[in-house]
């Protein structure tokens, strides 16, 4: 008995060492293959330049679906298929105009961008402008001051926060709920300082909400420089007037698709490890960082596994979600079908924070799952991945949350993300090849490690 125990004891470290060694060799192979002959960057260029931006329901979104299907098929996974969903169909229209006039500045034409879902103006809407930075301020002004006027939300993102996502989180309520709160007090429309730390003339768009119980009013983002200039105009002349003309409208919901590819698992074909991003984008720029980057990185996982001959134990499923930006119908429908069919998901990893230098992963799972992910830290440290902490996974994978599946988000450096987020500047030229590829390799390495070791420790 004693002798057997001793043999096991001696053999164990050697076994662990060889496991670690095997892992580090494979992680190295994944990074080498991506950095030397990765296809993420050329796929991103192709998506951005042949399809361009691709809002759900638009003609371009169907081109993007065909592109996704064709690109995945090229890498020979076991299966590529479309999953039907219904999506909202909002169109921007041809005219978007917002100008200001005061006694001093006769006419100031602002750079504006209607928020997705906003109603149009049905002609020109006019009114004075009430500037606020908080909900309390708006409440205090009340109907007496707000009725018949525009509300101008001008709370800037906090530059002292190290994560720009936290700064965004502190301001995004203005964009999402601004029309509701101003509408309660009888405002005729709202304009919101763009959610970016960059001082420029690019307006950023994004999603917003109406309530049936509150009159709907038009809602636009204006650039940070215009917000600054407007604020100065109002200081000099409190009767500064705005004129707004928007032709945007919402059409009936329409059919669309998630694009899905799979490599069947050799040991657990019925247990899924998902990697994904969202194929739709806002209808400005090219959706390069948001979320073309996540799309091509997810596709790279399939390509790298096939190229390196990795035969996964679990089924690896790559999901190019549709409609993250204005409804998350892709994510919700996918999760509904998973529940209906009783499919088991081990992990879902999303890349949707831009194609910037990867720093690590945020984990929305059980403490045990977090521990397993953290156990890969030493293997991934040589690739400058050092963030392995509890945190948010992603919008598309969010609806899968059930207390069992581990949701993981790729965490790239956040400093430049909001320079481009939902703006005309989110183009291919603003994505760096190496940074994008490092993200693709990081995702593939994490999928490889979780597939190999699972969470059953
Ligand atoms: Zn996104």
């Amino acid at each position: 008995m004693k002798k057997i125990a001793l043999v096991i004891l001696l053999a164990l470290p050697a076994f662990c060492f060889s496991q670690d060694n095997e892992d580090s060799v494979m992680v190295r192979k994944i990074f080498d293959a991506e950095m030397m002959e990765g296809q993420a960057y050329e796929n991103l260029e192709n998506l951005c330049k042949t399809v361009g931006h691709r809002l759900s329901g638009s003609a371009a979104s169907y081109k993007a679906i065909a592109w996704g299907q064709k690109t995945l098929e090229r890498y020979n996974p076991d299966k590529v298929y479309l999953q039907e969903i219904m999506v909202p169909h909002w169109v921007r229209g041809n005219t978007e105009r917002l100008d200001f006039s005061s006694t001093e500045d006769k006419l100031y034409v602002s750079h504006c961008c209607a928020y997705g879902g906003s109603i149009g103006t049905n002609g020109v809407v006019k009114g004075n402008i009430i500037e606020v930075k908080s909900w309390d301020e708006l409440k205090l002004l009340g109907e007496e001051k707000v009725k018949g006027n525009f509300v101008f939300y001008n709370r800037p993102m906090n530059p002292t926060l190290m994560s720009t996502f936290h700064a965004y989180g502190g301001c995004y309520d203005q964009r999402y709920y601004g029309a509701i709160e101003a509408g309660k007090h009888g405002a005729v429309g709202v304009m919101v300082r763009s959610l970016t730390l960059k001082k420029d003339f690019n307006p950023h768009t994004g999603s917003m909400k109406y309530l049936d119980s509150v009159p709907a009013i038009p809602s636009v983002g204006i650039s940070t420089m215009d917000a600054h200039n407007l604020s100065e105009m109002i200081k000099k002349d409190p009767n500064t007037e705005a004129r707004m003309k928007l032709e945007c409208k919402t059409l009936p919901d329409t059919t669309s698709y998630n694009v899905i590819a799979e490599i069947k698992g050799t040991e657990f074909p019925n247990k899924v490890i998902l990697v994904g991003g969202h194929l739709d984008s806002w209808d400005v720029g090219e959706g390069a960082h948001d979320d073309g980057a996540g799309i091509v990185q997810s596709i790279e996982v399939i390509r790298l596994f096939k190229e390196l001959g990795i035969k996964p134990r679990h089924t690896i499923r790559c999901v190019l979600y549709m409609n993250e930006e204005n409804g998350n119908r892709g994510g919700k429908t996918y999760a509904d079908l998973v529940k209906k069919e009783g499919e088991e998901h081990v992990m879902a990893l999303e890349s949707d924070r831009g194609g910037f230098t990867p720093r690590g992963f945020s984990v929305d799972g059980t403490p045990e799952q977090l521990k397993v992910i953290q156990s890969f830290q030493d293997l991934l440290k040589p690739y400058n991945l050092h963030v392995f902490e509890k945190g948010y996974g992603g919008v598309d994978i969010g609806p899968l949350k059930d207390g069992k599946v581990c949701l993981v988000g790729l965490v790239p450096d956040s400093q430049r993300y909001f320079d481009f987020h939902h703006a005309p500047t989110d183009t291919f030229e603003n994505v760096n090849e190496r940074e994008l590829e490092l993200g693709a390799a990081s995702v593939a390495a994490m999928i490889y490690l979780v597939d190999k070791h699972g969470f059953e420790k």
Side-chain angles (χ1 to χ4, degrees):
M1 271 309 275
K2 256 188 196 165
K3 206 174 171 187
I4 293 169
L6 190 69
V7 168
I8 291 172
L9 212 66
L10 288 173
L12 208 59
F15 172 76
C16 288
F17 176 76
S18 72
Q19 279 290 302
D20 265 13
N21 198 39
E22 202 183 300
D23 285 344
S24 71
V25 167
M26 188 47 87
V27 169
R28 183 77 258 174
K29 270 189 189 168
I30 289 172
F31 272 85
D32 286 354
E34 184 59 32
M35 301 317 286
M36 288 196 298
E37 283 184 82
Q39 293 181 17
Y41 193 62
E42 64 182 77
N43 280 339
L44 184 65
E45 179 173 25
N46 201 264
L47 174 64
C48 289
K49 300 304 174 190
T50 66
V51 177
H53 61 64
R54 42 202 182 271
L55 185 61
S56 302
S58 68
S61 72
Y62 299 102
K63 252 176 108 177
I65 290 162
W67 175 91
Q69 194 172 11
K70 207 177 87 196
T71 307
L72 281 163
E73 275 165 358
R74 206 188 310 145
Y75 302 129
N76 286 317
D78 295 321
K79 217 157 80 166
V80 178
Y81 58 100
L82 301 183
Q83 182 174 69
E84 193 177 310
I85 56 171
M86 290 303 283
V87 295
H89 190 192
W90 176 82
V91 290
R92 188 171 293 280
N94 294 321
T95 308
E96 243 177 3
R97 193 181 159 98
L98 176 65
D99 58 54
F100 312 126
S101 54
S102 67
T103 44
E104 265 184 61
D105 300 88
K106 291 287 176 248
L107 180 69
Y108 181 101
V109 179
S110 172
H111 303 76
C112 80
C113 194
Y115 286 149
S118 174
I119 59 164
T121 54
N122 195 17
V124 177
V125 174
K126 281 190 217 172
N128 288 345
I129 307 159
I130 311 291
E131 178 181 349
V132 297
K133 290 195 170 141
S134 70
W135 301 120
D136 287 347
E137 231 179 297
L138 179 69
K139 226 185 210 164
L140 224 65
L141 290 163
E143 199 176 312
E144 194 192 326
K145 294 271 165 45
V146 172
K147 198 173 177 178
N149 295 320
F150 286 94
V151 172
F152 164 36
Y153 294 99
N154 194 24
R155 183 188 341 135
M157 275 169 55
N158 181 351
T160 66
L161 297 174
M162 288 304 104
S163 163
T164 61
F165 282 91
H166 293 155
Y168 176 75
C171 286
Y172 122 108
D173 54 342
Q174 301 176 102
R175 186 191 81 206
Y176 199 68
Y177 300 108
I180 294 175
E181 294 306 317
K184 281 181 189 168
H185 300 295
V188 295
V190 302
M191 52 207 80
V192 184
R193 178 195 183 91
S194 281
L195 302 182
T196 175
L197 285 150
K198 199 169 167 66
K199 297 173 186 79
D200 66 13
F201 284 102
N202 293 305
H204 295 227
T205 189
S207 59
M208 58 158 300
K209 191 179 167 69
Y210 289 129
L211 286 181
D212 287 342
S213 53
V214 180
I217 54 173
S219 176
V220 304
I222 63 172
S223 75
T224 49
M225 283 306 292
D226 285 332
H228 170 80
N229 292 342
L230 176 58
S231 186
E232 292 301 307
M233 278 174 85
I234 295 170
K235 267 182 214 134
K236 282 187 219 149
D237 178 5
N239 291 318
T240 298
E241 194 186 63
R243 280 176 306 183
M244 185 187 275
K245 188 175 182 196
L246 305 177
E247 287 179 345
C248 47
K249 60 182 172 203
T250 300
L251 303 172
D253 284 3
T254 183
T255 307
S256 192
Y257 306 90
N258 291 329
V259 185
I260 303 176
E262 263 179 36
I263 303 175
K264 266 269 165 275
T266 51
E267 272 179 63
F268 312 110
N270 297 323
K271 293 186 181 185
V272 176
I273 292 178
L274 183 155
V275 60
H278 63 88
L279 188 54
D280 65 307
S281 76
W282 278 109
D283 57 339
V284 294
E286 294 169 353
H289 280 292
D290 188 14
D291 181 24
I295 288 299
V296 297
Q297 288 171 339
S298 301
I299 293 173
E300 280 300 90
V301 174
I302 297 288
R303 191 189 69 79
L304 285 165
F305 269 53
K306 293 297 285 188
E307 188 189 298
L308 297 173
I310 301 170
K311 299 218 169 356
R313 298 164 68 217
H314 306 79
T315 288
I316 306 297
R317 190 179 285 169
C318 168
V319 184
L320 316 183
Y321 286 99
M322 182 51 65
N323 187 230
E324 186 269 351
E325 297 293 5
N326 58 337
N328 198 20
R329 303 272 185 89
K332 286 175 189 159
T333 307
Y334 180 87
D336 284 349
L337 287 169
V338 163
K339 268 168 216 155
K340 206 172 122 196
E341 279 153 32
E343 243 184 3
E344 189 180 338
H345 280 54
V346 176
M347 173 174 82
L349 192 164
E350 177 155 8
S351 166
D352 184 20
R353 302 180 205 183
F356 302 97
T357 307
R359 302 292 190 205
F361 300 90
S362 57
V363 183
D364 183 2
T366 63
E368 294 73 34
Q369 287 169 336
L370 178 62
K371 231 182 249 168
V372 171
I373 301 271
Q374 284 172 338
S375 74
F376 305 137
Q377 212 160 340
D378 283 346
L379 280 164
L380 297 174
K381 228 189 260 167
Y383 307 93
N384 293 333
L385 297 169
H386 52 84
V387 176
F388 293 81
E389 55 192 30
K390 204 169 166 47
Y392 187 60
V395 172
D396 295 286
I397 58 174
L400 283 170
K401 192 168 173 153
D402 62 356
K404 282 182 245 151
V405 57
C406 181
L407 305 182
V408 178
L410 174 69
V411 179
D413 190 89
S414 78
Q415 300 313 320
R416 285 171 290 148
Y417 185 58
F418 291 96
D419 291 2
F420 310 116
H421 182 247
H422 301 176
T425 47
D426 187 7
T427 57
F428 172 71
E429 289 73 14
N430 286 321
V431 178
N432 176 280
E433 181 170 2
R434 281 185 66 78
E435 293 182 51
L436 179 75
E437 288 172 349
L438 284 168
S442 302
V443 169
M446 180 54 75
I447 299 281
Y448 165 78
L449 290 169
V450 171
D451 172 61
K452 189 154 171 234
H453 300 284
F455 289 116
E456 305 90 13
K457 274 192 173 175

